[in-house]
């Protein structure tokens, strides 16, 4: 009888030890799962400052391009629709002034129209850069074309500036009288176009700088 009781007590101790090990293993598993969940939650909460800055630079580039679109296309439309007709009382003839009469103003319209069209096409690429900050090849392509557009708009605005100056002031040495005394609305329109183009030119400079900074951070 004593031996049977001794055996039963040993079996009970073994069962209790097995249950204790099972409880310890379950607690350890729960601890591991809790650690993994806490690590995953930390991954969701934390963010990379470099990634946030890169996205901010891409958003700024998109905004600059959007404003530059209005500047270039607006200047091209304003200049391309400029014309005025006046009657000369002294000569009794109808005088007309059109932008197409001056090659420099025609070049101004073409240059701004090309730059505006390119900027419109580049907007979807900029949106792609906002969500994909690791894109590099497309950034290089945009930087190269941005530089070309900057030179194109600059040359068009510079050429038109000389013509607009002659229209306002004339040139006594070459015996060219100013025409803005007669075509005042025409001159106001082409002067406003120049202001918009030079504003777009400044934005294009900022776009090139923005693109270079964004590319240097990759």
């Amino acid at each position: 009888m004593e031996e049977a009781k001794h055996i039963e007590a040993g079996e009970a101790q073994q069962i209790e030890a097995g249950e204790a090990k099972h409880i310890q293993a379950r607690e350890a598993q729960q601890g591991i799962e809790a650690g993994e969940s806490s690590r995953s939650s930390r991954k969701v909460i934390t963010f990379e400052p470099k990634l946030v800055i890169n996205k901010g630079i891409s958003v700024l580039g998109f905004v600059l391009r959007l404003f530059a679109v209005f500047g270039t296309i607006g200047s091209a439309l304003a200049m391309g629709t400029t014309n005025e007709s006046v009657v000369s009382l002294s000569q009794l003839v109808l005088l007309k002034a059109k932008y197409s009469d001056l090659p420099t103003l025609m070049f101004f319209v073409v240059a701004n129209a090309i730059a505006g069209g390119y900027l419109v096409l580049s907007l979807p690429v900029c949106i792609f850069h906002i969500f994909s900050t690791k894109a590099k090849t497309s950034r290089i392509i945009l930087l190269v074309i941005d530089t070309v557009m900057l030179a194109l708009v600059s040359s068009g605005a510079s050429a038109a500036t000389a013509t607009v100056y002659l229209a306002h002031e004339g040139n006594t040495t070459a015996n060219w009288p100013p025409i803005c005394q007669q075509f005042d609305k025409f001159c106001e329109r082409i002067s406003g176009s120049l202001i918009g183009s030079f504003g777009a030119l400044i934005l294009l400079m900022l776009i090139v700088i923005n693109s270079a900074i964004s590319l240097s951070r990759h």
Side-chain angles (χ1 to χ4, degrees):
M1 294 292 292
E2 293 180 356
E3 291 180 358
K5 291 180 179 180
H6 182 71
I7 292 170
E8 291 177 357
E11 291 177 352
Q13 291 178 355
Q14 290 178 357
I15 293 171
E16 291 177 356
E19 291 179 352
K21 290 181 179 179
H22 181 70
I23 292 172
Q24 291 177 356
R26 187 168 56 190
E27 291 177 351
Q29 182 66 25
Q30 291 176 352
I32 293 172
E33 292 177 354
E36 290 178 352
S37 62
S38 62
R39 285 196 298 269
S40 62
S41 62
R42 284 197 298 270
K43 289 181 180 178
V44 173
I45 295 173
T46 57
F47 61 91
E48 298 181 4
K50 183 178 179 181
L51 180 62
V52 175
I53 294 174
N54 289 342
K55 285 185 177 294
I57 294 173
S58 298
V59 171
L60 178 60
F62 176 80
V63 174
L64 291 174
R65 288 177 189 275
L66 190 60
F67 281 106
V69 167
F70 291 108
T72 52
I73 294 181
S75 297
L77 289 176
M79 183 71 78
T81 56
T82 299
N83 62 79
E84 186 179 3
S85 300
V86 296
V87 177
S88 176
L89 298 178
S90 60
Q91 300 177 358
L92 297 178
V93 293
L94 182 64
L95 303 177
K96 295 182 179 181
K98 295 182 179 180
Y99 86 97
S100 56
D101 295 334
L102 301 168
T104 53
L105 299 185
M106 291 184 63
F107 175 64
F108 174 88
V109 173
V110 173
N112 281 273
I114 292 175
Y118 158 73
L119 289 170
V120 171
L121 294 177
S122 68
L123 290 178
V125 182
C126 289
I127 296 175
F128 169 73
H129 289 164
I130 294 174
F131 295 99
S132 179
T133 56
K134 295 183 179 180
K136 187 174 182 180
T137 304
S138 57
R139 294 179 190 274
I140 295 174
I141 296 173
L142 281 185
L143 179 58
V144 172
I145 304 178
D146 289 341
T147 307
V148 174
M149 293 298 110
L150 174 62
L152 182 63
V153 174
S154 176
S155 60
S158 300
T161 300
T163 301
V164 173
Y165 176 80
L166 289 175
H168 280 279
E169 302 296 333
N171 191 319
T172 55
T173 304
N175 198 22
W176 292 341
I179 66 172
C180 290
Q181 296 176 355
Q182 294 176 320
F183 301 97
D184 53 345
K185 293 182 180 180
F186 175 81
C187 290
E188 289 177 1
R189 192 79 176 268
I190 61 178
S191 299
S193 300
L194 276 180
I195 294 173
S197 183
F198 276 108
L201 182 62
I202 294 174
L203 290 173
L204 281 170
M205 291 180 183
L206 296 176
I207 289 171
V208 171
I209 295 173
N210 177 274
S211 299
I213 293 174
S214 178
L215 190 60
S216 68
R217 295 181 62 86
H218 287 75

